[in-house]
Amino acid sequence: QEGWSFSGYLAEKKKRDADKYEADKAYWKAVTADWKTGSELPLAARPESISNAEYHRQQMVISAADYQSLKEDAAKNHTTIAMLLLTLYANVLSRWSGSNDFLMNIPLFNRDLSLRGSEYAVADFTELLLLDLHTDTSLSLADAADAIRQNFYARYDHSAFGGMAVQKMLTASGKGAGISAPVVFSCTEGIELISGKCAELFGRTGFMLTQTPQVYIDFQTFQSGDDLICIWDPSSERAATNLRKAGQSMRRLMGRS
C-alpha cells in the first residue's frame, strides 16, 4: 500500500496500545518478583568462552496417520498439539538437566490486521513471549499439558509488554544476570512452512538450520504436506552431551504419545 511503512505501523500500534503496555508492564513486574533463576541447563563450556557456536540438527517426521492420532488425543484431553509438544519439551529438558523450572522463549506471529496496510506487508511481525514453566512428574501428561496451557494463556493475555521488554526490565532491576532463557519453542502446527504453490515454484525444503547465538536449544515444529516435522537444534559447544541426547528422548516420547 502506497505510503505504508513498517516503522509507521509500529509507531501507530505503540500509540494505540500505550495503556495496555503500561498495565502489562505492571503485571510482569509483579510476576517476575519471585523469579530467581532461568533455565539452568548443564553446559559443555562457558558461553563467553565460545567464539564460533555450531549447531547440529536432529529431525523427526511424524507421519500423517500418527499426526492425526496426536491431534485426536489432544482434542480428547481439551488441549492442542502445541501445548502437548511444549509439555513434552519441558519434561525432556527437566529430565536431562535436573531442573524443574524453565524460562521458555516462544515466538508469536503478531501481525495486527486492524491496522490498515499490514496485510500486504512483508516484514518481521514476530514478538516473543517469555513463559515460565514448572514440570511436575506426579501429573499425567494430559494434566501437565493443561497446567501449561492455562499458564500460557495467562501470560499471553499480557503480551503487549513482550518477552524482550521483560528481559530488559529484569536487567535494569539487577536480576537479569541470574535469569536467562536460552531455550526456544516455535510451533506453526497447522500451517505449511512451504505451501503447495511455493513448492511448485521453488521446490521442497532440502536443508535448513537455525543458528541464533544466544540460544542453546531451539525446538521447532511445522507442517509439511500432511506430516508434522519436529526439529531439535542444539548448540554443540554449549549444550552438554546429555542435552544433545535429549533430542533422542524427545523422539522416543513422541513415538509413544
Side-chain angles (χ1 to χ4, degrees), residues 24-45:
D24 287 359
K25 180 179 180 179
Y27 170 85
W28 282 104
K29 187 174 182 179
V31 164
T32 59
D34 295 328
W35 288 4
K36 295 180 175 60
T37 60
S39 303
E40 296 184 347
L41 303 176
L43 302 179

Side-chain angles (χ1 to χ4, degrees), residues 15 41-43 46 67 70 105 119 165 177:
K15 180 179 179 181
L41 303 176
L43 302 179
R46 295 180 64 84
Y67 180 23
L70 277 174
N105 268 306
E119 67 271 29

